[in-house]
Amino acid sequence: MKAKYLTVTYENIEDLNLFDEKIDFSADANSFSSFLSAHQPSGTKLRGMKIERTALENQVIQKMDALVEKVQLILDMRKPMNVIVKLYPDKTALQGAYFNIYKKKREFRAWYIFEYNTIYLNVQDLFAEMLAHEIAHAIIDNYLSVKPPRATAEILARYVGKHLNKKAKVY
């Protein structure tokens, strides 16, 4: 499923539906999307209902575009990008993905790999600030011509997670 900035992959429609329920974020007056298109207000979610794949994907695309644009606004880093977001159904599947890449066991809730330009997520353990944190890592790495030190990128990503639901200053 392709959004403006992200390509989301998932194993089954139930994972995408859970992802949609967990990411409670929509465009507001402080995002770029609100000026360009009409998004569904957050009070009109289709939670708990089985909706057809196309409608669900469109709803998730709107959320993802709005979320990326809010993170870009917070960081004041705007640049076209296409980051892959891989959704895994649970902690075990996510840990299996980590093991397949690094050949060692670690318990991360989510992570971003610059070399693959990919965010890895467990849909059962997810919320908007966590996703925004990982998106911030992708934006920082794709925006700057030289990757910042790990600690610097982490400080910026944590800043985004903390300020996601606050009004961002526009410079």
Side-chain angles (χ1 to χ4, degrees):
M1 173 181 72
K2 178 91 171 84
K4 187 174 178 182
Y5 307 97
L6 306 170
T7 301
V8 180
T9 65
Y10 56 93
E11 291 182 17
N12 59 59
I13 196 71
E14 289 79 19
D15 293 344
L16 188 63
N17 195 46
L18 182 57
F19 177 82
D20 181 52
E21 289 178 11
K22 294 276 191 159
I23 302 302
D24 189 17
F25 192 84
S26 63
D28 60 13
N30 200 21
S31 75
F32 300 124
S33 290
S34 63
F35 300 116
L36 303 174
S37 63
H39 288 280
Q40 206 173 39
S42 55
T44 60
K45 294 188 188 323
L46 300 172
R47 288 189 176 175
M49 291 184 212
K50 292 207 176 202
I51 59 175
E52 70 176 70
R53 180 181 301 265
T54 304
L56 178 61
E57 286 182 350
N58 288 338
Q59 185 167 292
V60 169
I61 285 169
Q62 287 181 350
K63 284 183 182 183
M64 297 301 284
D65 287 344
L67 188 58
V68 169
E69 289 174 357
K70 179 68 182 268
V71 174
Q72 288 176 330
L73 185 65
I74 293 168
L75 291 172
D76 196 20
M77 296 180 181
R78 296 170 194 88
K79 186 177 181 180
M81 62 180 204
N82 184 15
V83 175
I84 299 165
V85 176
K86 290 192 174 193
L87 304 180
Y88 292 90
D90 55 33
K91 178 177 157 181
T92 304
L94 185 67
Q95 289 173 358
Y98 188 91
F99 185 81
N100 289 339
I101 296 166
Y102 294 107
K103 304 301 181 218
K104 54 183 162 181
K105 291 185 178 186
R106 293 287 300 267
E107 290 194 25
F108 286 114
R109 297 173 75 188
W111 73 90
Y112 167 73
I113 301 176
F114 173 72
E115 293 76 16
Y116 298 148
N117 202 30
T118 303
I119 296 170
Y120 298 82
L121 303 168
N122 164 8
V123 293
Q124 289 186 2
D125 180 23
L126 184 62
F127 50 94
E129 293 81 5
M130 180 189 295
L131 178 55
H133 176 102
E134 298 306 329
I135 290 170
H137 281 296
I139 289 171
I140 292 162
D141 287 352
N142 282 283
Y143 182 82
L144 301 172
S145 50
V146 176
K147 279 179 48 177
R150 209 174 194 181
T152 302
E154 190 60 27
I155 289 167
L156 290 170
R158 287 183 183 188
Y159 179 85
V160 165
K162 186 174 181 182
H163 291 86
L164 181 64
N165 295 312
K166 297 178 182 175
K167 184 171 172 66
K169 293 181 183 179
V170 179
Y171 298 97

